[in-house]
Amino acid sequence: MKQHIFLSSPHMSEEGYEQRYMKEAFDTNWIGLLGKNVTEFEKEIAAKTGAKQAVALSAGTAAIHMALKAAGVTQGDLVFCQSLTFSATANPIVYEKAVPVFIDSDRETWNMDPVALERAFEKYEKIGKKPKAVIVVHLYGICAHIKEIAETCRKHQVPLIEDAAESLGTTYLGQHTGTFGDYGIISFNGNKIITSSGGGMLLVNTEDAEEKAAKVYRWATQAREPVLWYQHTEIGYNYRMSNILAGIGRGQLKVLDKRVEKRRYIFEYYRRHLSDLPGIQFMPALKESRSNCWLTAIQLEANGRVQPLDLIKALEADDVESRPVWKPMHLQPIFAECDFISTIEELHVTESEMGADNSISGQLFAHGVCMPSDSNMTDEDLDRVCNVVRKLWE
Ligand SMILES: *Cc1c(COP(=O)(O)O)cnc(C)c1O
């Protein structure tokens, strides 16, 4: 019988590191929130990425929320946010009753277009407004135009938050994504390159990183004042990572490099076996970057014979999981009222049952497919996927 092939599933270390760290937590009864695994995991992530400070939290989404608060985002503030992403990037803006302005992508990186970002600054400067923060994403592990974007933010003196949820292990000129901006966030959700079964990490790279990290610790633990009784001067959250889950994360971090190698291998495998098919394009990578290839994403020619939903359905019929590329936030009904900045002058809806438009992000969505990229896959699994794909072109 054929086995189900996952898009991306948890892949514990062959050595059993995760269970060892978890057992240590059990043996010392550090089952709750605080404990050695949490503090060590933070140190290890900071060392691995080069971030000044790292704060372990219950989710990547919580980390984005805390980054926005640390950047001073409050009610009514503008936040410039990449449109092509998962909704978890943008939702925390609304938690703080701030206003997202969505920014289009470019074809070179699929991520935030630095030209569209400059345009957004110009547009809002004209009406005397400036964003409180910018959120850029390194989608699927592809490095954004991070140098240009960081420069633009510095020039305008606006904090930059890097959503590196999908890009742990991706570097630009050897430096880890998530450490170019003032803040970076990582996710350890079950489908990411490594997982703690659920969790996230905030990276703080500001001059006053220690101070900012201390604030986040406080907010994430119900914002208690340092007195013996329960005293509160701010609204708090219950966002800290548990010591058990941090143990899983620590074990996984030991095999991160191996997982990156495997995902890069999967990307190369698909490229070797499928790029001769007319109308298939593989996701890009800046030459200064080294991608973790979390998911291998492809583009199918607009008027080609095979369209994304055909491919996804054909794979599904063979018990193989694939997905469309994220649907941009500016095309989501929940964000319909939000402004969107593109370098495309005349935006219009295109004919597609998925509801796309002719913006770059809209087109990447309309023609994109994320291929199964699970590091548990064998060469036989990869061949099975490639055969389904090739059959559609026959
Ligand atoms: C997974 C993901 C998140 C959210 O992380 P969670 O740990 O699931 O809360 C945020 N942004 C992007 C781009 C993601 O892929």
Side-chain angles (χ1 to χ4, degrees):
M1 218 187 74
K2 276 187 192 169
Q3 278 209 328
H4 181 72
I5 295 177
F6 289 95
L7 183 78
S8 181
S9 74
H11 188 172
M12 293 299 114
S13 68
E14 291 71 13
E15 298 85 350
Y17 297 129
E18 297 85 354
Q19 297 205 26
R20 233 176 291 162
Y21 286 123
M22 274 188 1
K23 183 170 184 304
E24 203 178 295
F26 273 82
D27 291 347
T28 53
N29 204 31
W30 284 110
I31 307 294
L33 285 179
L34 298 171
K36 186 175 154 204
N37 281 336
V38 172
T39 47
E40 290 301 309
F41 191 28
E42 287 170 341
K43 280 187 208 153
E44 287 159 7
I45 286 281
K48 180 78 189 169
T49 58
K52 284 189 188 161
Q53 294 279 321
V55 185
L57 297 167
S58 56
T61 312
I64 296 174
H65 188 186
M66 293 294 95
L68 287 166
K69 269 184 73 74
V73 172
T74 67
Q75 186 160 6
D77 287 336
L78 294 178
V79 176
F80 291 173
C81 177
Q82 180 166 324
S83 185
L84 186 67
T85 187
F86 180 42
S87 64
T89 309
N91 284 337
I93 301 169
V94 182
Y95 300 168
E96 285 303 316
K97 300 188 172 64
V99 181
V101 171
F102 293 113
I103 313 287
D104 206 355
S105 292
D106 61 51
R107 290 207 168 268
E108 255 180 32
T109 66
W110 293 15
N111 290 304
M112 184 181 277
D113 178 3
V115 179
L117 177 64
E118 275 291 0
R119 275 197 175 187
F121 273 108
E122 280 163 25
K123 174 175 175 177
Y124 280 90
E125 234 162 40
K126 276 186 197 141
I127 52 170
K129 285 189 175 174
K130 195 169 117 168
K132 254 302 177 45
V134 171
I135 309 180
V136 63
V137 190
H138 303 287
L139 226 51
Y140 305 128
I142 309 167
C143 186
H145 270 123
I146 194 63
K147 203 173 114 248
E148 291 82 350
I149 289 166
E151 261 165 32
T152 297
C153 290
R154 242 190 319 272
K155 187 178 84 189
H156 293 276
Q157 297 189 321
V158 173
L160 174 62
I161 299 168
E162 282 177 88
D163 181 341
E166 301 176 359
S167 71
L168 182 60
T170 295
T171 55
Y172 179 88
L173 294 176
Q175 184 179 340
H176 267 83
T177 49
T179 64
F180 291 85
D182 301 87
Y183 305 94
I185 79 99
I186 300 169
S187 166
F188 306 109
N189 188 27
N191 65 359
K192 298 302 197 296
I193 193 154
I194 61 169
T195 182
S196 60
S197 97
M201 192 82 72
L202 175 68
L203 309 180
V204 190
N205 314 306
T206 55
E207 300 252 315
D208 59 347
E210 222 168 300
E211 223 171 283
K212 284 279 160 50
K215 271 190 179 173
V216 171
Y217 278 118
R218 226 169 65 84
W219 292 328
T221 48
Q222 311 286 19
R224 274 186 71 185
E225 293 299 315
V227 290
L228 277 175
W229 61 97
Y230 287 87
Q231 179 91 359
H232 302 278
T233 57
E234 280 182 291
I235 292 295
Y237 302 85
N238 184 5
Y239 273 174
R240 282 291 267 161
M241 182 183 280
S242 94
N243 196 49
I244 295 286
L245 301 192
I248 305 178
R250 288 184 75 193
Q252 285 269 279
L253 189 55
K254 283 184 176 292
V255 292
L256 172 64
D257 293 345
K258 248 162 93 177
R259 299 295 177 262
V260 170
E261 286 314 316
K262 182 63 188 279
R263 303 249 178 180
R264 288 173 60 84
Y265 172 83
I266 291 170
F267 174 82
E268 277 307 323
Y269 201 97
Y270 283 131
R271 202 154 68 167
R272 259 203 330 274
H273 290 83
L274 299 175
S275 51
D276 63 305
L277 295 175
I280 283 197
Q281 267 190 353
F282 283 80
M283 62 187 185
L286 292 175
K287 66 175 190 312
E288 298 87 351
S289 74
R290 186 174 193 274
S291 173
N292 72 356
C293 291
W294 172 57
L295 294 185
T296 294
I298 58 172
Q299 287 284 303
L300 301 176
E301 197 176 48
N303 302 311
R305 190 143 49 106
V306 180
Q307 290 303 306
L309 295 182
D310 306 327
L311 177 53
I312 290 167
K313 283 176 198 159
L315 289 167
E316 195 176 272
D318 206 63
D319 210 9
V320 176
E321 186 185 6
S322 63
R323 297 260 179 89
V325 160
W326 300 122
K327 182 168 183 174
M329 292 305 110
H330 77 277
L331 296 172
Q332 300 288 353
I334 187 68
F335 293 121
E337 303 297 310
C338 296
D339 193 11
F340 172 60
I341 312 292
S342 176
T343 52
I344 304 291
E345 299 282 348
E346 305 258 330
L347 288 176
H348 59 81
V349 173
T350 54
E351 277 169 55
S352 146
E353 59 181 304
M354 303 190 294
D357 67 8
N358 64 329
S359 64
I360 304 291
S361 54
Q363 290 295 295
L364 290 168
F365 159 62
H367 305 299
V369 178
C370 296
M371 300 297 286
S373 309
D374 192 347
S375 53
N376 291 293
M377 284 169 89
T378 60
D379 282 6
E380 290 72 46
D381 292 332
L382 286 163
D383 283 339
R384 196 175 122 202
V385 175
C386 290
N387 285 336
V388 175
V389 178
R390 296 198 74 89
K391 224 179 248 164
L392 282 171
W393 262 261
E394 270 165 17

